[in-house]
């Protein structure tokens, strides 16, 4: 048998490798390798109420960073905060509530009552009320004030309709202008009927402070006619705006069947 010659250069004989059947080559990784992977995906987190010096600082612990990263992508983590911040979208116009409808109904009822009351007040003024407040004709001619003389009748429909307007103007100027009411049914005023040429009623004659007639208005006309004429008398103007105006009136000829002959009658 041949012998192997010895040499000064020896061959390195590796240690025998013992393979375990239950262990794979890639199943175990060194700890440093895991740390490097965690540090690679390290992120920056801010707290909602950060403490001094803690906001926007990267976590020094890689495992803590990994836990925060997992919680940040968790879909259920911020469910409660998102519900509190985001309001549900509007589904359509808001309809009035019952309380709102009741308030509207109450305001409407009050407005209707106010209108009805004002109309009732106007209708409550009658020719008798105006006549009771009027001055006697003789006194009006002697007190040095301008005078408005109305020829009327209790049965005159137009006279009753204008009663509220006459009353309002009278209340406004009663301290500066005399208001006289003469009932055409009273035979006492036959001379005045002829003097002022009364053919229809209501007939308004406007006299200056000396008793001279400046004009007249007959029948149903806007309140402004009477108001502006009375205002001109109160201010002592030389003429009135409407010296001759005629509207719808009641004929004075009907007075013959309603005549009263009592000279003591105020009207």
């Amino acid at each position: 048998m041949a012998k192997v010659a010895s040499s000064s250069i020896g061959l390195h004989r590796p240690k025998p490798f013992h393979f375990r059947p239950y262990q794979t080559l890639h199943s175990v990784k060194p700890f440093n390798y895991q740390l490097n992977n965690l540090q690679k995906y390290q992120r920056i987190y801010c707290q909602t109420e950060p403490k001094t010096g803690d906001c926007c600082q990267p976590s020094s612990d890689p495992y803590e960073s990994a836990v925060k990263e997992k919680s940040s992508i968790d879909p259920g983590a911020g469910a409660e905060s998102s519900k509190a911040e985001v309001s549900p979208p509007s589904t359509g116009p808001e309809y009035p509530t019952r309380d709102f409808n009741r308030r509207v109904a109450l305001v409407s009822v009050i407005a209707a009552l106010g209108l009805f009351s004002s109309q009732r007040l106007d209708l409550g003024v009658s020719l008798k009320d105006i006549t009771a407040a009027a001055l006697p004709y003789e006194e009006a001619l002697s007190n040095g004030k301008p005078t408005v003389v109305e020829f009327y009748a209790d049965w005159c429909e137009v006279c009753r309709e204008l009663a509220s307007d006459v009353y309002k103007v009278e209340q406004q100027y009663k301290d500066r202008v005399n208001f006289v009411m003469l009932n055409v049914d009273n035979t006492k005023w036959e001379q005045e009927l002829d003097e002022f040429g009364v053919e229809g009623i209501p007939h308004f004659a406007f006299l200056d402070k000396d008793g001279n007639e400046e004009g007249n208005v007959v029948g149903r006309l806007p309140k402004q006619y009477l108001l502006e004429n009375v205002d001109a008398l109160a201010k002592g103007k030389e003429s009135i705006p409407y010296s001759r105006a005629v509207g719808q009136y009641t004929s004075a000829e009907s007075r013959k069947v309603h005549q009263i002959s009592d000279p003591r009658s105020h009207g």
Side-chain angles (χ1 to χ4, degrees), residues 85-147:
E85 296 176 358
V86 180
S87 59
S90 177
T91 58
E94 295 184 0
Y95 294 96
T97 61
R98 291 184 177 179
D99 185 58
F100 177 79
N101 292 335
R102 289 175 182 174
R103 292 181 181 180
V104 172
L106 180 61
V107 171
S108 302
V109 170
I110 293 175
L113 288 176
L115 180 61
F116 178 76
S117 299
S118 63
Q119 292 178 348
R120 290 291 297 175
L121 289 175
D122 289 344
L123 294 176
V125 179
S126 65
L127 290 173
K128 292 183 179 181
D129 297 331
I130 301 177
T131 302
L135 286 177
Y137 181 62
E138 294 81 3
E139 180 181 345
L141 294 180
S142 62
N143 63 9
K145 294 181 181 180
T147 302

Side-chain angles (χ1 to χ4, degrees), residues 38-176:
L38 291 175
Q39 292 177 352
K40 182 185 302 184
Y41 298 99
Q42 184 175 355
R43 294 186 178 183
I44 297 175
Y45 299 89
C46 291
Q47 301 178 0
T48 57
E49 296 181 358
K51 298 179 180 180
T52 305
D54 293 342
C55 180
C56 301
Q57 296 293 335
S59 176
S60 59
D61 190 351
Y63 291 103
E64 182 180 356
S65 301
V67 173
K68 289 182 178 180
E69 179 181 0
K70 180 179 179 181
S71 63
S72 65
I73 62 175
D74 187 2
E80 296 181 359
S81 62
S82 62
K83 290 180 180 179
E85 296 176 358
V86 180
S87 59
S90 177
T91 58
E94 295 184 0
Y95 294 96
T97 61
R98 291 184 177 179
D99 185 58
F100 177 79
N101 292 335
R102 289 175 182 174
R103 292 181 181 180
V104 172
L106 180 61
V107 171
S108 302
V109 170
I110 293 175
L113 288 176
L115 180 61
F116 178 76
S117 299
S118 63
Q119 292 178 348
R120 290 291 297 175
L121 289 175
D122 289 344
L123 294 176
V125 179
S126 65
L127 290 173
K128 292 183 179 181
D129 297 331
I130 301 177
T131 302
L135 286 177
Y137 181 62
E138 294 81 3
E139 180 181 345
L141 294 180
S142 62
N143 63 9
K145 294 181 181 180
T147 302
V148 177
V149 180
E150 179 184 356
F151 294 90
Y152 76 101
D154 293 332
W155 44 265
C156 173
E157 185 67 26
V158 180
C159 300
R160 290 197 294 262
E161 291 178 5
L162 298 179
S164 61
D165 291 342
V166 174
Y167 177 79
K168 292 176 182 178
V169 175
E170 178 183 352
Q171 293 301 310
Q172 185 175 352
Y173 292 93
K174 62 181 180 180
D175 295 333
R176 294 177 288 171

